[in-house]
Amino acid sequence: IPQGINGQINLPDIKGGQASLEVMDLFGRIVFSIPLVQSTSGHRIQLPILPAGMYVAKFIHEGTISSLKFIQQ
């Protein structure tokens, strides 16, 4: 079940390589994208104000993709 995220996404440490975060709406349109830099304390990303609905956040690091569905209220 998708969860509300209160406008923030917490990401793990990034050790080397390139990383980015993309947020897409249900039509596959990228509504937010940000490159990420190395960090040993993780990242807390503040999302822009998005219209209410369901979204998919994709964390991309060194060719590995992790995704999270969430509801913006």
Side-chain angles (χ1 to χ4, degrees):
I1 296 175
Q3 301 294 314
I5 59 168
N6 285 336
Q8 288 186 12
I9 294 180
N10 295 316
L11 298 172
D13 298 350
I14 298 171
K15 297 178 179 141
Q18 293 183 329
S20 64
L21 174 71
E22 294 178 349
V23 176
M24 296 175 292
D25 64 16
L26 288 183
F27 298 105
R29 296 179 296 217
I30 296 173
V31 296
F32 178 75
S33 179
I34 186 170
L36 302 169
V37 297
Q38 289 187 27
S39 170
T40 56
S41 60
H43 289 275
R44 178 174 286 165
I45 307 297
Q46 183 70 41
L47 297 176
I49 296 173
L50 299 169
M54 190 176 297
Y55 294 87
V56 176
K58 287 192 340 183
F59 172 61
I60 305 161
H61 181 237
E62 303 235 306
T64 301
I65 300 172
S66 301
S67 63
L68 166 75
K69 291 181 183 176
F70 68 93
I71 296 172
Q72 179 70 28
Q73 299 176 353

